[in-house]
């Protein structure tokens, strides 16, 4: 006969009060904080992520951007379209393959990236208030394990 769990154990709690619920609500709150701050620059977190990847390694194909960010090509295409409308990026034909388009930052896109990088530093200072380097290292290690486990679930189901 298995040992009884102590009363008040996490597994007895409703889904929204388990650690996964806290993780999900925290992710939503962090996302809202980034979107609110980035809105002052005229972009959202997804668009700022595209700008950051292009700043770090651009120009990149839409497929490569989607892979690096962890989203689908259609979704990233919509983000790129929005950034094209804002004058932040351009699509350029790939010199090696005319069927492929590379996405590159414009001068306005580099300025927008710089503004989002400044906002990001400010947000991180507030989010990390009251934590130590050791706290963040432990949290990063734990979240990496949970992320790997979630990826394994979707790989198994998909």
């Amino acid at each position: 006969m298995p040992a009884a769990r102590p009363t008040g154990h996490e597994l007895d709690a409703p889904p929204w009060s388990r650690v996964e619920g806290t993780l999900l609500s925290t992710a939503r709150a962090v996302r809202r904080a980034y979107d609110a701050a980035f809105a002052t620059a005229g972009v959202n977190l997804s668009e700022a992520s595209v700008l950051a990847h292009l700043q770090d390694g651009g120009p990149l194909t839409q497929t490569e951007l989607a892979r690096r960010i962890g989203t689908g090509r259609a979704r990233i295409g919509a983000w790129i379209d929005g950034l094209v409308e804002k004058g932040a990026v351009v699509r350029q034909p790939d010199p090696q393959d005319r069927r492929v388009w590379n996405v590159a930052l414009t001068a306005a896109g580099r300025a927008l990236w710089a503004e989002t990088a400044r906002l990001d530093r400010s947000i991180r200072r507030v989010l990390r208030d009251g934590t130590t380097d050791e706290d963040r290292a432990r949290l990063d290690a734990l979240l990496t394990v949970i992320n790997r486990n979630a990826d394994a679930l979707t790989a198994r189901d998909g």
Side-chain angles (χ1 to χ4, degrees):
M1 182 168 167
R5 289 193 309 258
T7 304
H9 189 277
E10 175 193 13
L11 292 176
D12 295 327
W16 56 88
S17 67
R18 296 181 192 155
V19 70
E20 294 81 6
T22 302
L23 179 62
L24 290 168
S25 66
T26 301
R28 284 190 297 271
V30 169
R31 175 67 190 234
R32 284 191 308 270
Y34 270 99
D35 281 340
F38 287 159
T40 64
V43 295
N44 60 36
L45 179 58
S46 300
E47 291 169 325
S49 295
V50 171
L51 296 173
H53 281 280
L54 291 173
Q55 175 66 27
D56 288 346
L60 297 167
T61 66
Q62 183 170 313
T63 301
E64 180 60 17
L65 275 167
R67 186 193 67 74
R68 288 183 184 205
I69 292 175
T71 192
R73 285 183 8 205
R75 179 170 286 157
I76 200 139
W79 299 340
I80 292 166
D81 289 344
L83 290 168
V84 167
E85 289 175 16
K86 293 172 177 130
V89 301
V90 293
R91 287 185 170 100
Q92 305 167 323
D94 186 296
Q96 269 60 50
D97 186 344
R98 292 184 306 156
R99 298 169 296 169
V100 174
W101 290 86
N102 291 319
V103 181
L105 288 174
T106 63
R110 284 187 289 282
L112 187 53
W113 166 81
E115 176 62 9
T116 61
R118 184 190 67 74
L119 290 166
D120 174 62
R121 287 188 299 276
S122 175
I123 294 165
R124 282 186 284 130
R125 273 193 300 277
V126 173
L127 291 176
R128 295 172 181 199
D129 189 40
T131 68
T132 65
D133 289 345
E134 294 79 23
D135 292 335
R136 292 188 302 277
R138 283 194 309 271
L139 179 60
D140 183 65
L142 180 57
L143 290 174
T144 298
V145 170
I146 292 171
N147 192 357
R148 187 173 34 244
N149 293 343
D151 284 346
L153 284 171
T154 57
R156 182 178 58 203
D157 296 340

